[in-house]
Amino acid sequence: MDSKSIPTVPAKNIVFKTKSPDAWFGIDYNMNIYRGCSHGCIYCDSRSDCFKNTDFDTVKAKENALQIVRDDLRRRVVTGVVGNGAMSDPYNPREKELNLTRNSLELINAFRFGVSLCTKSDLVARDADILLDIKAHSPTIVKFSISTADDELCKKLEPFVSVTSERFEAMRRLSSKGIFCGVQMIPLLPYINDSEENIVRILNMAKEAGAKFVHTYMGMTLRAGSREYYYKHLDNILPGVKEKYIKRFGFRYSCISPRSKKLWDVFTAECARLDLLFDMRNIIRHYKYGYEKQLLFNFNH
C-alpha cells in the first residue's frame, strides 16, 4: 500500500539540516514524513496556531515522501543523525499499513546515516531489524515519550496511544537487542502528573525496561491553539484544574511545575541511584561513542 490511501500534502524537501545539533539529542538533520497526528494527546504543542495545521487530528503523508527522502539524503555531502518524530509521530496507526517510516529507515541505512526516533507507539519495535542494521555503522537512539506511569491516566491524557505499559514493553524488546533506548519524560503537567511518586515510578519502570537515560522538563508549554484545546479537555476529565492554570500561569508559554525544584532533586537523586543518564550532553556522548570516524562524508551521492 502506498500513500495514495491516505490524505497527502505537497512537499519539496523533507530532510532538513538542524541549526544546533548539540542542543537536542545530537540530531544533525530533522525529518517528518507525516503531518498531523491521531494520538489525541490533550497537551500537544504541535496543535498551536503558529504551525498552521488546522486539521491536526487527521494524519497526512507528504506526497512522494520516499523519493524526496532519497533525494535529500543523496544530496547531503556529510552524513549524521536524522531525527524523526518532532512534529508528528512516525508510528501513527496508519504506519502499520503504509510503512513510510520503515521504508525511510531503509533509506537512512542505505545512505549510512544514523537515526533518532521519538514515539508514543509500541509499533517501533517492529523495525528492530533495520535499527540494528543502522546501529552497525551509525548512532541509533530510540526515545519513548512517557509522562505518566499510570495506564488509566494515560488513557485520559493520550487517548489513542499505546499505553505506558505497552511502550515500556516495546522498549524492553529493543533494548534487549542492544538498541540505545530511553525516555523523554515530557511533559510533566502541573497539578496532574508532577508528583514525586509518578517520577520515581517512571524511572524504575524505565530501568527495568533497559533504558539508558531519562530526559525531562519539569512542566509544559501552552500557546494559542494548544491552550484552548487543553483547557477544554481538562474541564471534561479533571474539573477545576483549568482554573489553577489560569490563576498561576495566565498566558505564559512555559508553565513550570510549582514543585519543580523539589521534583528535580528527586529526579536527579533517583537517576543517580539507578545509573540513568539525564544530562543531554552525556546522553549524546554515550549513544554516539565509537562512531566518530563513521560520521564523515557520504560518498553515495
Side-chain angles (χ1 to χ4, degrees):
M1 182 178 291
D2 61 28
S3 59
K4 292 181 180 179
S5 62
I6 189 175
T8 59
V9 292
K12 292 183 178 180
N13 298 101
I14 293 178
V15 181
F16 295 93
K17 189 81 174 71
T18 58
K19 294 180 180 179
S20 302
D22 293 333
W24 192 249
F25 290 100
I27 295 170
D28 302 286
Y29 302 94
N30 201 26
M31 64 178 285
N32 289 282
I33 55 176
Y34 292 103
R35 180 169 171 82
C37 187
S38 58
H39 286 337
C41 303
I42 69 171
Y43 51 75
C44 183
D45 184 70
S46 295
R47 293 182 181 277
S48 301
D49 291 346
C50 61
F51 298 118
K52 300 179 180 179
N53 190 358
T54 56
D55 194 16
F56 181 78
D57 293 293
T58 299
V59 175
K60 300 164 282 290
K62 304 284 179 71
E63 290 180 4
N64 302 313
L66 296 175
Q67 182 62 49
I68 294 172
V69 169
R70 181 187 181 281
D71 291 342
D72 285 349
L73 293 176
R74 180 175 54 83
R75 283 192 293 264
R76 297 295 179 181
V77 175
V78 179
T79 60
V81 175
V82 179
N84 197 345
M87 295 296 294
S88 179
D89 196 314
Y91 291 96
N92 65 76
R94 297 304 307 276
E95 168 59 23
K96 191 171 184 179
E97 312 162 28
L98 300 175
N99 288 305
L100 293 179
T101 295
R102 181 174 176 85
N103 293 154
S104 70
L105 289 175
E106 291 173 337
L107 290 169
I108 286 170
N109 181 41
F111 286 97
R112 302 186 70 80
F113 283 73
V115 70
S116 171
L117 292 171
C118 182
T119 186
K120 285 184 168 73
S121 173
D122 60 358
L123 183 58
V124 63
R126 175 200 67 180
D127 294 338
D129 57 335
I130 305 176
L131 293 173
L132 286 171
D133 284 347
I134 297 172
K135 180 178 180 289
H137 56 75
S138 300
T140 303
I141 182 172
V142 177
K143 302 160 287 178
F144 288 86
S145 176
I146 296 173
S147 61
T148 176
D150 182 74
D151 280 356
E152 293 308 310
L153 179 57
C154 172
K155 292 174 184 177
K156 294 178 180 180
L157 301 176
E158 309 161 347
F160 307 117
V161 303
S162 302
V163 294
T164 299
S165 58
E166 292 171 339
R167 276 174 263 174
F168 275 125
E169 177 56 32
M171 181 187 297
R172 185 175 291 107
R173 290 169 61 189
L174 290 176
S175 63
S176 67
K177 297 177 184 294
I179 302 297
F180 193 95
C181 296
V183 172
Q184 280 187 230
M185 194 167 66
I186 300 171
L188 286 178
L189 307 172
Y191 311 113
I192 299 176
N193 61 354
D194 60 335
S195 68
E196 297 174 31
E197 177 188 10
N198 183 51
I199 289 173
V200 170
R201 283 185 66 194
I202 289 175
L203 293 176
N204 280 268
M205 292 168 77
K207 183 66 176 182
E208 291 170 6
K212 301 297 185 184
F213 68 91
V214 177
H215 184 261
T216 191
Y217 172 68
M218 297 295 173
M220 68 176 305
T221 57
L222 286 174
R223 48 187 160 187
S226 61
R227 181 183 292 107
E228 291 78 7
Y229 189 90
Y230 182 58
Y231 284 172
K232 179 180 73 173
H233 286 271
L234 281 185
D235 281 339
N236 292 332
I237 65 174
L238 295 167
V241 175
K242 178 183 74 175
E243 286 70 26
K244 294 181 179 180
Y245 275 80
I246 294 172
K247 181 178 180 180
R248 182 171 184 91
F249 303 117
F251 289 92
R252 295 181 199 170
Y253 170 64
S254 183
C255 304
I256 303 298
S257 168
R259 307 181 63 241
S260 60
K261 186 179 185 308
K262 174 62 176 175
L263 295 177
W264 182 255
D265 291 341
V266 170
F267 171 74
T268 54
E270 192 69 0
C271 282
R273 187 183 75 82
L274 295 171
D275 193 26
L276 288 168
L277 302 168
F278 63 87
D279 178 77
M280 182 62 71
R281 292 168 297 181
N282 288 335
I283 296 169
I284 294 170
R285 184 167 66 249
H286 276 74
Y287 95 90
K288 288 190 173 183
Y289 180 77
Y291 291 103
E292 292 83 359
K293 292 182 179 179
Q294 284 89 333
L295 296 177
L296 295 172
F297 294 100
N298 173 14
F299 291 110
N300 294 303
H301 72 285

